[in-house]
Amino acid sequence: MEGKMHKYIAFIIVLFFASCNSKQIYEESVSMKNNEWSKDSVVKFSVDIKDTTQVYDVVLSITNDEEYPYANLYLFTDIIFPSRKYVRDTVEFVLSTNDGQWLGSGMSGYTNNFPFRTNIRFPEKGTYVFVFEQAMRCKNKQCSVKGIKSLSFSVNKK
């Protein structure tokens, strides 16, 4: 009986926290193997958009540790529309101050939330694919950067 009560309480807690962020329509995280992001490791998130009148914010969260050797992280990004049209861009995310102090917070590294796209409307209904690829200059044969723990992606209603 006691085990059932614990499961019931855990279910209520999960339900409570899930309802607290009812504006979030999508969230997913990808952990990097061995805290290393290879140039060949492309991260994709697929989001189904049903409402083209709604305004959204798209947020990218990056978690790094002290092994990351740079102050910033450059990414190549693609947004692929349901019609297969796409938008390509290069973006920079600042992870530390000029004097080397890490930005962000967290218990297992430094997590920074970046507004990737804000106040947008998706022009088409259907599945959008967001593609992220690290774009740092190669300093090793496998063209990877150490110290990137994870990438999280969310789409939120305004």
Side-chain angles (χ1 to χ4, degrees):
M1 179 72 173
E2 188 174 307
K4 287 184 180 182
M5 183 59 103
H6 287 297
K7 288 180 184 178
Y8 177 73
I9 291 171
F11 174 74
I12 296 298
I13 291 171
V14 168
L15 190 61
F16 172 76
F17 283 111
S19 67
C20 287
N21 195 358
S22 62
K23 291 185 174 192
Q24 188 174 74
I25 67 159
Y26 180 88
E27 190 205 5
E28 186 176 349
S29 290
V30 173
S31 296
M32 301 300 170
K33 185 177 180 180
N34 299 321
N35 297 339
E36 190 170 351
W37 194 355
S38 168
K39 191 76 126 184
D40 297 334
S41 181
V42 176
V43 178
K44 296 179 182 181
F45 302 100
S46 297
V47 182
D48 188 34
I49 300 297
K50 294 176 177 50
D51 187 353
T52 59
T53 64
Q54 177 68 49
V55 177
Y56 299 94
D57 286 337
V58 179
V59 178
L60 192 66
S61 298
I62 299 168
T63 302
N64 66 288
D65 62 22
E66 293 182 359
E67 195 174 9
Y68 187 70
Y70 307 105
N72 57 4
L73 175 67
Y74 284 95
L75 300 179
F76 295 130
T77 68
D78 290 312
I79 303 171
I80 304 169
F81 292 64
S83 64
R84 308 317 283 159
K85 178 176 80 168
Y86 71 94
V87 176
R88 184 167 186 101
D89 200 358
T90 304
V91 294
E92 176 190 18
F93 298 101
V94 178
L95 303 176
S96 78
T97 62
N98 289 337
D99 63 354
Q101 296 297 310
W102 292 112
L103 301 172
S105 61
M107 295 177 65
S108 64
Y110 304 94
T111 300
N112 289 279
N113 298 316
F114 299 101
F116 178 63
R117 298 285 186 267
T118 58
N119 296 314
I120 63 166
R121 284 190 174 89
F122 292 98
E124 305 170 15
K125 288 182 182 182
T127 301
Y128 287 77
V129 179
F130 292 81
V131 181
F132 299 96
E133 173 183 358
Q134 67 94 346
M136 301 300 287
R137 291 202 173 115
C138 296
K139 292 194 175 200
N140 55 32
K141 190 174 184 176
Q142 63 273 25
C143 203
S144 62
V145 290
K146 290 185 181 266
I148 299 296
K149 297 181 76 160
S150 66
L151 205 64
S152 297
F153 178 84
S154 64
V155 178
N156 307 301
K157 294 179 186 177
K158 276 303 255 191

